[in-house]
Amino acid sequence: MNFVEYGDTIKDGDTAIVFLGHESMFPVKVQHGTVTQTKYGVIRHSTDLIGKKYGSKVTCSKGGWVFILHPTPELWTMNLPHRTQILYSTDISIITMMLELKPGSIVCESGTGSGSLSHALIRTVAPTGHLYTVEFHQQRAEKAREEFREHGVEHLVTVTNQDVCKNGFGVSNIADAVFLDIPSPWEAIGHAKSALKAEGGRICSFSPCIEQVQRTCLAMEEYGFTEINTLEILLRVYNVRTVSLQIPDLGEAAEDNSGTGFDSSNPSHQGSPCANLQEGTVQFKSGVPLREVVGHTGYLTFATKS
């Protein structure tokens, strides 16, 4: 199993996603002789998972069923164990685009955290690129190495446990892009410049507070970065609903339907908006935003090494 090279069959040792519904899923490590409990009953790895195809519908012991999905960076972001606050797909998508990443790119990242962005970066630069990720916390760095090894992508990533603000990324003049998600990114701008290739490399800094952004922008200007700009990505979800609207009184012309060819007694017209004219309302399909809108996550500051 590999997060980059997708396979068809579930094997012993794979990480799979148990899908109960769009709002209910979780990862499981497939192991011979192991069972997994769900609200629909038990899943026996030896008989229900190993050898089956990804995407299969598996019946649990209580008669309910689940789907077993191949892991992707997007699914991992939704289901990973949280060791830190993470970046979600909304921010990740704009980061990979604005950093101009592609297969073969060399990327430096700090800090690794829970590895949400790391998995997306690895898939983007595979099969010939590489990710150098730095994590200050030793236990988080060790756990990240373990996950990359289990997910079959350890050959595409190097995990370093050190303080990027003091010791940098451990590479010089090779990176196409640098990403910073640390409390004081302005202290690492000089090391980021050293890690980037001679000209044209891109940098992105994620910060939740505007004061952090201000200090980071000043540091970028001091080190000669250009095209500095800051974005904030806010997600707004719409629900499709049927709404009833009052028909306005537009006078006699609106009330006279003799020239429209509409016959309310015609069965083919039943259920159409015009069928409700006598009731004074008409129904429409409408996109309605949710009452609770996803709030601020952080500011993304991008710049180019000139």
Side-chain angles (χ1 to χ4, degrees), residues 54-99:
Y54 279 107
S56 297
K57 184 177 179 180
V58 174
T59 302
C60 304
S61 61
K62 293 182 180 179
W65 49 266
V66 298
F67 287 107
I68 307 299
L69 306 181
H70 195 293
T72 65
E74 291 80 10
L75 289 174
W76 186 245
T77 291
M78 297 171 63
N79 296 281
L80 58 77
H82 285 237
R83 300 183 288 273
T84 60
Q85 292 290 332
I86 69 169
L87 290 176
Y88 290 92
S89 298
T90 306
D91 288 317
I92 291 173
S93 60
I94 198 71
I95 290 169
T96 55
M97 183 188 75
M98 294 294 288
L99 289 182

Side-chain angles (χ1 to χ4, degrees), residues 126-146:
T128 56
H130 201 83
L131 171 66
Y132 295 89
T133 183
V134 178
E135 174 56 51
F136 176 79
H137 194 276
Q138 182 179 357
Q139 291 181 336
R140 288 201 292 262
E142 292 173 354
K143 186 61 179 177
R145 289 194 192 97
E146 179 184 340

